[in-house]
Amino acid sequence: HCSRATIYRHAGGRAALIESVLATTSAPVLAAIRATVADLTGPDRAQTAIIETLRALRGDRVIRQFLRPDNLIGATPTVLSSPAVHAVAADLVGVDPDDPADARFLIRSVLALLLWPAEPDEEARSAESIVAGVFRRDPGTDDDGAHPRQQGQLGGDPRCAGVALGGRGLVL
C-alpha cells in the first residue's frame, strides 16, 4: 500500500500520472471515434466527433471516474495544458493542430457538456453551436470550410471564438 505522494513521485507528478492513465485508457475510445469520423470533413466531422466523444467518454468505465465533477474540475488545468489532448481534439474535429485557441475552446466546451449534461436534442444543438464557433463561413464566399484563421484570413482575437455560441454559456 503506497501513499498518494509516493505514487505521484514515482509517476513524475500528478499531471504526468493523469496524462498517462488517460492516454492508456483512452486509446480504444479514440480509435472508435476516429473510425466514426474517418470519412467526414469540416463541420459534419466536427459535430459528429463532439457527440461521439461525449458518448464514448461517458460510456467508458475508467474514464467515467475522471468525469465526476470533483475529479474533472481538479484535472481541468492539466487537460487544458496537455499538448497530447490538444492534438487529439484538433485531429478528431479536423482543425489546425497549431491553433491552441481552437483546441482549448473545443476542450472547454466538451468539458462543460460533460459536467452539465443536456438532453440529446439540446446536446446536439450545443455541439452545432460549438462547431459554429470553430468553423465559420468565410466572408466573401458561399461555402462552409475551415475556420478562416486557419487560412490566415482573420486577424481578430482568437478568444472571440465563443461569441458564436449565442449566449449558451459553454465557454468556461
Side-chain angles (χ1 to χ4, degrees):
H1 187 66
C2 294
S3 73
R4 188 179 297 179
T6 301
I7 293 170
Y8 288 163
R9 270 195 307 274
H10 181 72
R14 183 177 189 272
L17 179 63
I18 290 170
E19 187 133 358
S20 176
V21 170
L22 286 177
T24 302
T25 59
S26 65
V29 171
L30 293 173
I33 297 167
R34 282 187 177 104
T36 301
V37 300
D39 296 330
L40 301 173
T41 60
D44 291 334
R45 177 186 177 101
Q47 189 166 350
T48 301
I50 290 168
I51 296 298
E52 286 300 309
T53 297
L54 292 168
R55 183 195 58 72
L57 293 178
R58 290 175 181 145
D60 185 271
R61 178 181 61 81
V62 175
I63 293 174
R64 256 196 328 263
Q65 298 304 309
F66 284 98
L67 302 181
R68 293 191 330 238
D70 54 331
N71 291 340
L72 188 57
I73 290 170
T76 296
T78 301
V79 170
L80 288 174
S81 65
S82 168
V85 174
H86 288 187
V88 167
D91 174 53
L92 291 178
V93 174
V95 297
D96 183 353
D98 295 325
D99 186 349
D102 278 349
R104 279 192 300 269
F105 174 73
L106 291 163
I107 295 163
R108 281 184 175 103
S109 298
V110 168
L111 291 174
L113 289 169
L114 289 168
L115 279 170
W116 300 287
E119 294 297 320
D121 288 346
E122 183 181 346
E123 208 159 77
R125 287 192 313 273
S126 295
E128 188 176 323
S129 295
I130 294 164
V131 171
V134 176
F135 288 83
R136 293 191 204 52
R137 177 163 280 147
D138 186 5
T141 71
D142 289 332
D143 56 68
D144 290 329
H147 190 287
R149 189 167 56 247
Q150 295 170 352
Q151 300 161 5
Q153 298 174 356
L154 183 66
D157 187 338
R159 293 173 292 178
C160 294
V163 173
L165 292 176
R168 290 182 193 265
L170 294 177
V171 179
L172 302 175

